[in-house]
Amino acid sequence: MSSFIGCGARYGGARAVIFGAPFDSTASYMPGSRFAPAALRNESGAIETYSPYLGRDLEDIGVHDMGDLELPPGDAEAMLRAVERRAAEILKDGKIPVMLGGEHLVTLGAVRAAYEKYPDLRIVHFDAHTDLRDEYLGAKMSHATVIRRCWDILGDGRIYQFGIRSGTREEFAWAGGGHTNLRRFDLKGAETLADALGGAPVYLTVDLDVLDPGVFPGTGTPEAGGVSYAELRDALKAAARCDIVGADMVELSPPQDLSGVSTLTACTLLRELLLMAGASTDGSNELIK
Amino acid sequence: MSSFIGCGARYGGARAVIFGAPFDSTASYMPGSRFAPAALRNESGAIETYSPYLGRDLEDIGVHDMGDLELPPGDAEAMLRAVERRAAEILKDGKIPVMLGGEHLVTLGAVRAAYEKYPDLRIVHFDAHTDLRDEYLGAKMSHATVIRRCWDILGDGRIYQFGIRSGTREEFAWAGGGHTNLRRFDLKGAETLADALGGAPVYLTVDLDVLDPGVFPGTGTPEAGGVSYAELRDALKAAARCDIVGADMVELSPPQDLSGVSTLTACTLLRELLLMAGASTDGSNELIK
Amino acid sequence: MSSFIGCGARYGGARAVIFGAPFDSTASYMPGSRFAPAALRNESGAIETYSPYLGRDLEDIGVHDMGDLELPPGDAEAMLRAVERRAAEILKDGKIPVMLGGEHLVTLGAVRAAYEKYPDLRIVHFDAHTDLRDEYLGAKMSHATVIRRCWDILGDGRIYQFGIRSGTREEFAWAGGGHTNLRRFDLKGAETLADALGGAPVYLTVDLDVLDPGVFPGTGTPEAGGVSYAELRDALKAAARCDIVGADMVELSPPQDLSGVSTLTACTLLRELLLMAGASTDGSNELIK
Amino acid sequence: MSSFIGCGARYGGARAVIFGAPFDSTASYMPGSRFAPAALRNESGAIETYSPYLGRDLEDIGVHDMGDLELPPGDAEAMLRAVERRAAEILKDGKIPVMLGGEHLVTLGAVRAAYEKYPDLRIVHFDAHTDLRDEYLGAKMSHATVIRRCWDILGDGRIYQFGIRSGTREEFAWAGGGHTNLRRFDLKGAETLADALGGAPVYLTVDLDVLDPGVFPGTGTPEAGGVSYAELRDALKAAARCDIVGADMVELSPPQDLSGVSTLTACTLLRELLLMAGASTDGSNELIK
Amino acid sequence: MSSFIGCGARYGGARAVIFGAPFDSTASYMPGSRFAPAALRNESGAIETYSPYLGRDLEDIGVHDMGDLELPPGDAEAMLRAVERRAAEILKDGKIPVMLGGEHLVTLGAVRAAYEKYPDLRIVHFDAHTDLRDEYLGAKMSHATVIRRCWDILGDGRIYQFGIRSGTREEFAWAGGGHTNLRRFDLKGAETLADALGGAPVYLTVDLDVLDPGVFPGTGTPEAGGVSYAELRDALKAAARCDIVGADMVELSPPQDLSGVSTLTACTLLRELLLMAGASTDGSNELIK
Amino acid sequence: MSSFIGCGARYGGARAVIFGAPFDSTASYMPGSRFAPAALRNESGAIETYSPYLGRDLEDIGVHDMGDLELPPGDAEAMLRAVERRAAEILKDGKIPVMLGGEHLVTLGAVRAAYEKYPDLRIVHFDAHTDLRDEYLGAKMSHATVIRRCWDILGDGRIYQFGIRSGTREEFAWAGGGHTNLRRFDLKGAETLADALGGAPVYLTVDLDVLDPGVFPGTGTPEAGGVSYAELRDALKAAARCDIVGADMVELSPPQDLSGVSTLTACTLLRELLLMAGASTDGSNELIK
């Protein structure tokens, strides 16, 4: 399987472009998300290209799979540069980059590129964790600081966080001080996001650990009490009505996914996300039931 | 453990008869359901024979366990003949066959036997997948075509599908054309089934992957977004008010069930199904609270 | 990691004291809960000390971790004596013992000690199983008889059971005869418990298999159809408004927890329980949102 | 599979009789050997009944499988009584008991029965561990004291230990003082055992952890540096030239045998042992090439 | 990873051509070898292309990787036709086919093709099992009959079997009657094979279960008492001095390879085999130290 | 378990001091060695403190366990500084540092410290891999370059490598050019090392993947064809007759060690190494039999 199922479009004609960022060096609990892009492609043959939820088929929309970046383990700065370069190139060509992590820090590289093109960028963030520390074990660049680093770029009020159920007291207080819009525990509010943002460009980042570990054990820092698959899918569908200019799906960790179910769940969610993103940007939202 | 817990009745006095069909040769993703009948028996000692949901005990109803068919790996036709012969024999003796798969293709053998005796047979089908392809990888006989093969026998409007959330666009369209009654995503409508079918004979087939992979990872083609255990149990209880003349439970795959929880869940569900089926056919439905 | 995260208070100043009872010799299905106390400590670094649900931090309340008892495998009586001695010592010092099992039989030792100090003791019991057999495989002392043994001490009407979904017909009938207050399947009624008990001293025992095996596979006798993490957390929060004088959390079995998610879920629940217990007994319930 | 492969002889005509002792309550590291008898039977269909090493077939010699004893978890004394009773019964009928553990303590029950019939009994013991402690964690009856308990019965110089590579300084010193004949690290000397013992009755106990954990990881206390499968098989063949009056094979722990290879290895070794024992006692040793 | 490491040569210039036959439908114990070709390619990046044993590098010899055949699960005849067609095509182009199983039955397809071109073909066979049954569970085409089916084509005295340690009494007797040259237990005699065969064309089939399950647990029917990696590598090196016209490596089963070590071992062995085969047929054997 | 078994000496009186370096960020295949120090301590209770091979007991020699360094994931330079500082401190106090990796790159920090004190330092290196690349995936600091980096400090002829069976052609050629003394495949020559080095100070680094993956699967880059446990133990015993001034044991990866056997094997080997090192440096070699 050399590309994700149904993503056989040529680059030139593609509306969305997926690429892998197999990096997990700052993982503090369980490393392994570096293996996610390969696992997603290898196992994607087990799902259908057609979504009965959306009534659309991956074969109908143009997605190209560029494969993985080559990233040296242990060098976060090199990784960030490589991700930014790749995302900028795709954005320059008028396409939507959809990045497959890897750990959450990879998001920062893509956000840098998206901000460069869209200075009024917003971030919509699904996660179990705040990711708002200013540093973690002495490091500024970490999966635990990544949204704080994004805030360094975007500033107050531009980041919308959903499903957050873990963080330090300080992180929650900092967010509550107006720096980000943080929704605790569930995904309520996602349904009004598109109206609230009124056409502003949005980078969508999905940390899969927002899901309950019962349905998604295959991640590096699972946290009890998450949302169901249907809740996440519905919230993504609502969020996809925004003007999505880039997206990612991070923190699947195949070594923790002993049953293989998390990988398949991520495959299905990626299909839905691609179908949603394809719809949201080509004006054909009305096709989605 | 030589028989499923609480199924120690002699054949002669039994109302329901369970037998295993350990076959998985057409499995396209993860084989392993061949090991399900043995696993169900071996682990059944970990559950009680009494159901607090139904207020009944397996010891009270007569169930006989005939053990497994001997099936050569790789020969689907031989398997279908062996299953049909066994099911026909049990039906001829006025008993309800309850088959333990194996993969879903085993259902076809039992449906052939049930149709032979009951020409106005209906099928009630719980599954994540449509199973309505006309052929799969060039094969007519496959776990992915089994309900289509049943339709070849029964014809339009006689098959009721619940919980379906995966299939090709063509399969959904074909079902939607009146060939089957297909309920997407959930089990709604099961509660009115007994009234709708008005006493017609029913073959009940339960593909356990209708359950959410979070609660049932141990299956060969898990699909995100399924129903909960309680939803399935309640729908089965409603469906059991039909005139059940045969039933099966398929696609438990012990090698994918690393925690052992899926096997125990299937054991519990099989107990409920046997208690329901026993009740539904001996006129004592009123005992079920 | 020599103590559970955030439990670094000295014994003298602690309000609650945790200790491990690594014993699983009467486990009838899958042994392994003996490894739970060590696993909870080792993995607790993966969660935060702060609970966004309660708005409190483990660092703020005084919890001391005394480590594990040394218990010889295979000697239930010696275990019960050691647990009773440890619990009595903590109670004598005016502190709340919070025991980490081990299998459920360990509860009996702590209940003996609590009853000695509080003759009007009540037990609040969350579990999938009745645990009301009078003997099991010929043994009086077993994880399957533990609540019956507690009843021997407390007598009728003093034990409140929630979430029960497995037992023999006799056990349910016995409970129904007024011996215990048994709530089947869910946790309803926990929210009125504090009012109903009106300040009576309560020993709280949490058998983690009350959770659905989908979210908590890592236990020795998983049973389908359990409650969600949120349901248990909310019920515990309600129950914590009682006058908790002792508590335990039992039946995590790390060898069955292949993904590690059950251990982390138990860590989070233990944090919540400690924060709740700390709050419930120092008069600061009003702090809990 | 209701009996071990090829062991379908009726009790009356059997020369050797196998039975399971599924007990592991004194296991100090990893419990799980209670599951060994069932695993051996269930998986034995994967090996042949014919041994090309011995040129004999299990079908040719009469072995009966009596199934498992029912043993309450956590009660070592009850287990020892049940084992002794079963072994005595088989010995009284002039047959050879071959017990499948369970943990090593089960051996004591069978040795008691064998000593009752044969006061000049010898023990031949293959193991990684001395098992010569006088007590362990305060317990006299433990897998770690079992050979010392056997010595209590037999006295000095009657126990032959092979492959020992783990124990306390005191245990090695005690053995070295003439209490047992202890061979460290390898199995040398087994080849001259039959001559040395000159027809004395021998109880053979095989703790499978004598094997290197590379070839036999599925055991409760694996110890690096063990012997190969061929070395053990050859030593058993030599030892089988003694007058074997009883035998056991203990400490297979299926939960630790993730690949399943240890269970199959134990199956093969049990086949060889049965073929050897059958040969050694019916005068037909000359058949063994 | 779209091809096995170091096998990036174009078809036209390649001396050896590898292709996968992902089929395991007749597996009687543990299916899973269908996943072997993909696993070998995916994990091959973890080994080096250079062999210090042979002093050669995969980059130096021309190997092309054609990818996998598409094979319908459950249809042995269709599989055999597809394999034969592919092997014949490669042979016609003057290249050496190196097939990656899949179960052992795939060998038959390739042997048919090789025999078509080389009527004086010999087979050199490394295996734990005889594979000489005439039928198995009623089937003529099975992994347990494959060498017998090859004998149907080649006749007496043309098949050389090494390492055989499992089979029925009848199979060993049949082989011993002059039908095949069967070496039990070890690989002795492989070193003189090239001289004995004097330039006759040889098809080499390596069933990886010839290895000891300690070093190679990841296979569908592991058998205790096998050879070491070094023994197999050295025997292959000796056998490679024959005129190898085709080869295969079968019965790696990734689902049984939990540690991943068997897959890596097979990768290394495949590298050695390709380097040996490349050397043996281009006259440059002298390069091998 | 807060320290490795038998290592309860106070720092002041200790001859050897162990500390953990839980870092694995440059791991290119399977990360996980960061968990090794904790796993070694947690599981060490399963082995004895007494070595029957050496006739010595850990309780007799003074070893102190300093616990683990706190190392930020993803920052190799920070890790190297922390390791160097810790090792230098221990060396300054006249003790032998024994470091528990972590990946192999941690060795460089300790070698820097040892070289600072002993400018005529030698390195004795057991490994499957050359580790002699000048850079790897663009990085100078990597587990794949660590011995080359050590050579940068020590220069030609001072490094003795044993058991090497994997590397690029260039690495073998470079070593062969006199830069290091490289022994391929086995450990021959270790027995004469002490004589050859004539009292020069030696840093001993043991990459556990020098062991065969059959006996040691729990490592990040397993390589077929390694040495046995006994071979490594004997070679270490010979090497320990050198003047060992520092040592480490690296590349145990608990997530790859599903059976737990590799961790126990490493525990045993660490015990032997400590007993050997203790003996080699206090003049009491004659005690070792």
Side-chain angles (χ1 to χ4, degrees), chain B residues 102-146:
Chain B
E103 58 157 87
H104 212 161
L105 182 57
V106 300
T107 297
L108 181 58
V111 164
R112 285 176 181 169
Y115 178 77
E116 189 69 22
K117 180 168 181 182
Y118 303 102
D120 56 339
L121 187 72
R122 265 69 170 181
I123 291 175
V124 175
H125 172 220
F126 293 87
D127 204 332
H129 307 89
T130 47
D131 290 357
L132 293 173
R133 278 170 163 92
D134 191 40
E135 64 174 57
Y136 185 63
L137 297 177
K140 284 280 183 179
M141 295 300 169
S142 162
H143 71 107
T145 67
V146 61

Side-chain angles (χ1 to χ4, degrees), chain D residues 43 46-48 50 52-53 55-57 60 214-215 229 233 258-259 261 264-265 268 271 289, chain E residues 29-30 133 165-169 171-172 184-185 212-215 217 222-225 256 258:
Chain D
E43 306 307 319
I47 67 164
E48 305 283 351
Y50 175 74
Y53 297 98
R56 304 189 111 211
D57 196 303
D60 298 340
V215 298
Y229 176 80
R233 188 194 58 220
L258 299 176
S259 69
V261 160
L264 290 179
T265 296
T268 310
R271 179 193 70 197
K289 291 173 281 193
Chain E
Y29 190 54
M30 292 285 171
R133 278 172 164 92
R165 59 193 187 271
S166 176
T168 64
R169 186 196 299 258
E171 288 178 281
F172 279 101
R184 293 190 308 175
F185 313 144
D212 192 84
V215 299
E223 175 75 25
Q256 269 70 54
L258 299 176

Side-chain angles (χ1 to χ4, degrees), chain C:
Chain C
M1 179 80 43
S2 57
S3 65
F4 190 81
I5 193 169
C7 297
R10 293 170 159 265
Y11 181 80
R15 179 83 191 113
V17 174
I18 66 182
F19 69 95
F23 183 87
D24 61 8
S25 296
T26 83
S28 53
Y29 190 53
M30 291 286 170
S33 61
R34 71 174 70 178
F35 302 109
L40 289 166
R41 289 190 191 94
N42 287 339
E43 306 308 318
S44 66
I47 66 165
E48 304 283 352
T49 54
Y50 175 73
S51 165
Y53 297 97
L54 301 173
R56 301 191 114 211
D57 196 303
L58 270 184
E59 308 279 1
D60 299 339
I61 66 168
V63 185
H64 176 76
D65 184 344
M66 289 190 86
D68 288 354
L69 297 173
E70 278 220 8
L71 302 171
D75 190 340
E77 285 300 341
M79 175 277 289
L80 289 169
R81 284 191 303 272
V83 168
E84 183 176 356
R85 205 177 314 124
R86 171 63 51 91
E89 168 195 339
I90 296 168
L91 286 164
K92 189 170 66 69
D93 292 335
K95 302 171 192 309
I96 303 173
V98 179
M99 177 169 55
L100 312 179
E103 57 157 90
H104 211 160
L105 183 57
V106 300
T107 297
L108 181 58
V111 164
R112 285 176 180 169
Y115 179 76
E116 189 70 22
K117 180 166 181 184
Y118 302 102
D120 56 339
L121 188 71
R122 265 69 169 181
I123 292 176
V124 174
H125 172 220
F126 293 88
D127 203 332
H129 306 89
T130 47
D131 290 357
L132 293 173
R133 278 172 164 92
D134 191 41
E135 63 174 57
Y136 186 62
L137 297 178
K140 284 282 185 179
M141 295 301 170
S142 163
H143 71 108
T145 68
V146 62
I147 300 302
R148 182 68 171 263
R149 287 296 84 75
C150 291
W151 174 88
D152 290 345
I153 300 173
L154 269 64
D156 280 354
R158 297 245 177 140
I159 298 173
Y160 297 81
Q161 303 184 280
F162 294 91
I164 310 298
R165 58 191 189 274
S166 176
T168 64
R169 186 196 298 259
E170 294 68 31
E171 288 178 282
F172 279 100
W174 187 87
H179 297 301
T180 73
N181 306 286
L182 185 155
R183 173 74 198 175
R184 292 190 307 174
F185 312 145
D186 58 35
L187 310 180
K188 283 189 189 128
E191 68 282 3
T192 58
L193 208 49
D195 296 336
L197 295 184
V202 166
Y203 185 89
L204 174 65
T205 178
V206 183
D207 186 328
L208 289 159
D209 65 23
V210 72
L211 287 163
D212 193 83
V215 298
F216 201 85
T219 189
T221 44
E223 175 75 25
V227 304
S228 73
Y229 177 81
E231 287 169 326
L232 179 55
R233 187 193 59 221
D234 290 350
L236 287 178
K237 187 170 160 185
R241 291 178 39 244
C242 299
D243 182 19
I244 305 294
V245 300
D248 63 50
M249 187 172 285
V250 299
E251 297 288 358
L252 166 67
S253 180
Q256 270 69 55
D257 181 29
L258 299 176
S259 69
V261 160
S262 302
T263 300
L264 290 180
T265 296
C267 284
T268 310
L269 210 55
L270 179 58
R271 178 193 70 197
E272 302 290 294
L273 184 63
L274 291 168
L275 291 174
M276 291 164 181
S280 74
T281 56
D282 64 0
S284 54
N285 272 333
E286 70 281 3
L287 288 188
I288 300 183
K289 291 173 278 193

Side-chain angles (χ1 to χ4, degrees), chain E residues 35-59:
Chain E
F35 302 109
L40 289 167
R41 289 190 191 95
N42 286 339
E43 306 307 319
S44 66
I47 66 163
E48 304 283 352
T49 53
Y50 175 73
S51 165
Y53 297 97
L54 301 173
R56 302 189 114 213
D57 197 303
L58 270 183
E59 309 280 1

Side-chain angles (χ1 to χ4, degrees), chain B residues 97-262:
Chain B
V98 179
M99 178 169 54
L100 313 179
E103 58 157 87
H104 212 161
L105 182 57
V106 300
T107 297
L108 181 58
V111 164
R112 285 176 181 169
Y115 178 77
E116 189 69 22
K117 180 168 181 182
Y118 303 102
D120 56 339
L121 187 72
R122 265 69 170 181
I123 291 175
V124 175
H125 172 220
F126 293 87
D127 204 332
H129 307 89
T130 47
D131 290 357
L132 293 173
R133 278 170 163 92
D134 191 40
E135 64 174 57
Y136 185 63
L137 297 177
K140 284 280 183 179
M141 295 300 169
S142 162
H143 71 107
T145 67
V146 61
I147 300 302
R148 182 67 171 263
R149 287 295 85 74
C150 291
W151 174 88
D152 290 345
I153 300 173
L154 268 65
D156 280 355
R158 299 248 177 136
I159 298 172
Y160 297 80
Q161 304 184 280
F162 294 91
I164 310 299
R165 59 190 187 274
S166 176
T168 63
R169 185 197 298 257
E170 292 69 29
E171 288 178 281
F172 279 100
W174 187 86
H179 297 300
T180 73
N181 306 286
L182 185 155
R183 172 76 198 173
R184 292 189 308 174
F185 312 146
D186 59 35
L187 310 180
K188 283 189 189 127
E191 68 283 1
T192 58
L193 208 49
D195 296 336
L197 295 185
V202 166
Y203 185 90
L204 175 63
T205 178
V206 183
D207 185 328
L208 290 159
D209 65 22
V210 72
L211 287 164
D212 192 84
V215 298
F216 201 85
T219 188
T221 42
E223 175 76 25
V227 304
S228 73
Y229 176 81
E231 287 169 326
L232 179 55
R233 188 192 59 221
D234 291 349
L236 287 178
K237 187 172 161 185
R241 290 177 42 242
C242 300
D243 182 19
I244 305 294
V245 300
D248 63 50
M249 188 173 283
V250 299
E251 297 288 0
L252 166 67
S253 181
Q256 269 70 55
D257 182 29
L258 299 177
S259 70
V261 160
S262 301

Side-chain angles (χ1 to χ4, degrees), chain F residues 14 55 115 117 123 204 252 268 280:
Chain F
Y115 178 76
K117 179 166 181 183
I123 292 176
L204 175 63
L252 166 66
T268 311
S280 73

Side-chain angles (χ1 to χ4, degrees), chain A residues 43 48 52-53 57 60 214 261, chain B residues 29 133 165-166 169 184 213:
Chain A
E43 306 307 319
E48 304 283 353
Y53 297 96
D57 196 304
D60 299 340
V261 160
Chain B
Y29 189 54
R133 278 170 163 92
R165 59 190 187 274
S166 176
R169 185 197 298 257
R184 292 189 308 174

